Amino acid sequence: MVACGHRQQQQPHKFFPKVESEPAMKLIGSLAAAAVLLAPHNALANARLPPVDSDPNRCDRAFVGNTLGMANAVSDKLLDLRSCVYTGKNLADKVLSGALVADADFSNTVMSNVTMTKSYAKGANFSGSDLTNSVLDRVDFTDANLSHAKFTNAVITGAKFAGANLDGATFEDALIGQEDYKQLTSSCKTRTRPAQLLQQ
């Protein structure tokens, strides 16, 4: 489905030079992900993500987080948490900025005080998660399951919620951007009581 006023995006070029060394491939993958995450927010809809990181311990990196850049999703290595399972785990106070968390399972996870700037969470499961005091800036929650998630006192700006399941999600005292507020209140099953609407 295409929203009103949507302009057709140009398709990205499909030409990439042939690179055979593993370190070079990892560097190219990280650069490609950085380009996707730092691109204008609506460009993520047509983005081609790098292959899932082959590091067998990549899911464990969520417990450390991104230690370099909170606000601009700067990292020395791509934080690839796609399809990882954190059900019932404690990720409180972690920085997951710039993380690829598409299709990851954060159901019933403690994520209080988490910073997720420019994170790609398409199709991720946050059902029953506690995101109290979290910073959710320009996160793509398209088709994510946010049912019964708790966003108490969270800061939500520039996020995308198209197709997200917001059944029973609560936003008590959250600071919510004006456009985010419009998206959230369009779901009649969401209880949204922000402390303040931020002007974008």
Side-chain angles (χ1 to χ4, degrees):
M1 181 166 51
V2 178
C4 296
H6 178 75
R7 288 189 293 169
Q8 185 67 32
Q9 298 285 328
Q10 288 185 339
Q11 293 299 316
H13 294 288
K14 296 180 181 179
F15 172 75
F16 292 97
K18 186 173 182 180
V19 180
E20 296 183 7
S21 73
E22 185 175 337
M25 288 302 293
K26 285 184 179 181
L27 176 61
I28 289 172
S30 294
L31 291 174
V36 166
L37 294 168
L38 295 175
H41 193 61
N42 61 358
L44 284 175
N46 294 325
R48 293 181 189 208
L49 300 175
V52 174
D53 189 345
S54 61
D55 181 355
N57 298 315
R58 70 181 176 84
C59 292
D60 294 338
R61 291 192 62 223
F63 297 103
V64 177
N66 179 345
T67 56
L68 289 182
M70 288 197 258
N72 290 315
V74 176
S75 177
D76 59 341
K77 183 175 180 182
L78 175 63
L79 190 54
D80 189 351
L81 309 176
R82 288 176 284 182
S83 300
C84 294
V85 177
Y86 302 101
T87 304
K89 302 293 183 191
N90 187 345
L91 294 175
D93 304 312
K94 300 302 180 231
V95 177
L96 303 179
S97 293
L100 299 178
V101 298
D103 301 314
D105 187 351
F106 295 98
S107 57
N108 300 308
T109 300
V110 176
M111 299 182 76
S112 54
N113 300 307
V114 162
T115 300
M116 291 180 71
T117 300
K118 297 182 181 177
S119 295
Y120 185 71
K122 184 174 182 176
N125 183 2
F126 292 90
S127 62
S129 291
D130 183 358
L131 290 143
T132 298
N133 299 321
S134 57
V135 176
L136 306 171
D137 178 37
R138 293 165 283 173
V139 178
D140 188 346
F141 287 117
T142 300
D143 298 326
N145 183 355
L146 302 170
S147 62
H148 302 285
K150 183 177 172 184
F151 294 93
T152 303
N153 204 41
V155 177
I156 303 170
T157 56
K160 293 173 89 176
F161 294 97
N165 178 355
L166 296 164
D167 293 354
T170 57
F171 297 83
E172 302 291 330
D173 298 323
L175 293 169
I176 302 174
Q178 188 172 5
E179 291 303 313
D180 304 276
Y181 183 75
K182 287 177 187 176
Q183 289 182 67
L184 292 170
T185 56
S186 68
S187 169
C188 61
K189 296 178 182 177
T190 305
R191 297 189 306 269
T192 307
R193 286 182 246 156
Q196 178 181 350
L197 290 180
L198 303 176
Q199 297 299 315
Q200 294 181 329

